Amino acid sequence: MGESRGSGVLRHQSLHDGFVPALGPQQAFADAIDRHIEEHFGPVEFVYHEIASHLVGVHVYVVAPTEERPYRTLITSGMSDLPMTVPEGHDISPYAELMLSLPADWPLTEVAGLADEAGWPLRILKQVARLPHEYGTWIGEWHSVPNGDPAQPYATDAPFAGVVVTPMLRVPPEARTIDVGGGIRIALLALIPLHPEEIAVKVERGTDALIEVLDRGRVTELLDPRRPSYA
């Protein structure tokens, strides 16, 4: 994004007073997401469905490890039920979904997941997916989202205290966009958890500096829970 200075911190105010029930899925969008996952990522192991959802129903698909992708991949479906509020002049889709990948032995099951200590990656996906609809804003590449203000670790055994939105690196370019049809496309964006020091780099020195940090550590959308900070 060519920032020469720090990106600073934008604080948004919620547009909603309390719980707003989701209207339900856009079936054409949901079907396109299903097809895209099957084609580019592999068979779905199970899905974390939401029953009562605020604003949008954010379901998380868990893709089983494959020989080509020997790790689990988590992909949201439902963030794109509503368009984001993208400012004029930004030539990007107002529709997005999110993903990240976990080691194959990450302790996720259909029963133990969201509320479990190891379920913090699931919670990140749901929180960030709802954020643009809650605050009337948008999520795009190289936006960062701290976990609170001040930022706090996601879990007692996790050093990460925020995420940055990035393009996926472990897929071919065609996997980065979901074609719904009729000229409508959904951006499929990755979330990379960040150490507090890495968040500080983005805030104080800008996007280019953070990219240098992540490149130094060869950090991708496949989460390494034990990786050090590269800031």
Side-chain angles (χ1 to χ4, degrees):
M1 295 176 66
E3 296 173 355
S4 58
R5 298 181 180 178
S7 58
V9 176
L10 295 177
R11 293 175 172 85
H12 298 283
Q13 186 73 30
S14 175
L15 300 181
H16 308 281
D17 184 15
F19 181 82
V20 179
L23 296 177
Q26 294 199 51
Q27 198 57 50
F29 284 54
D31 292 345
I33 293 167
D34 287 351
R35 292 192 301 268
H36 191 84
I37 291 173
E38 185 72 23
E39 179 180 356
H40 294 287
F41 295 91
V44 174
E45 192 172 3
F46 54 86
V47 182
Y48 290 105
H49 287 290
E50 285 190 343
I51 305 303
S53 302
H54 177 53
L55 298 172
V56 290
V58 183
H59 314 288
V60 179
Y61 284 58
V62 180
V63 181
T66 64
E67 184 174 344
E68 184 179 355
R69 295 174 58 85
Y71 39 84
R72 277 183 164 140
T73 299
L74 278 54
I75 302 174
T76 66
S77 177
M79 179 182 177
S80 59
D81 285 345
L82 294 174
M84 300 182 292
T85 306
V86 179
E88 292 185 12
H90 290 272
D91 186 22
I92 68 167
S93 172
Y95 300 103
E97 297 290 347
L98 305 173
M99 64 79 68
L100 57 77
S101 294
L102 299 174
D105 60 354
W106 194 279
L108 288 181
T109 68
E110 293 182 68
V111 177
L114 192 62
D116 195 72
E117 179 75 4
W120 62 267
L122 287 166
R123 294 192 288 274
I124 292 174
L125 287 167
K126 287 176 175 283
Q127 289 166 2
V128 178
R130 241 181 287 275
L131 185 149
H133 308 306
E134 180 74 46
Y135 298 103
T137 185
W138 62 294
I139 291 292
E141 290 182 7
W142 303 110
H143 287 184
S144 54
V145 182
N147 185 37
D149 187 9
Q152 300 295 320
Y154 288 112
T156 55
D157 60 347
F160 308 107
V163 292
V164 64
V165 183
T166 76
M168 295 182 290
L169 298 177
R170 292 174 171 263
V171 298
E174 58 268 23
R176 297 175 180 170
T177 304
I178 302 169
D179 187 359
V180 179
I184 299 174
R185 295 179 176 271
I186 303 170
L188 183 53
L189 302 167
L191 295 185
I192 294 180
L194 299 177
H195 287 262
E197 301 87 355
E198 294 165 339
I199 298 172
V201 168
K202 173 68 157 53
V203 172
E204 297 168 8
R205 295 165 49 200
T207 296
D208 290 346
L210 177 61
I211 292 174
E212 290 179 8
V213 165
L214 297 179
D215 285 349
R216 187 184 309 142
R218 298 183 178 179
V219 178
T220 72
E221 65 268 22
L222 175 55
L223 174 62
D224 177 359
R226 294 174 293 278
R227 78 166 180 86
S229 169
Y230 292 103

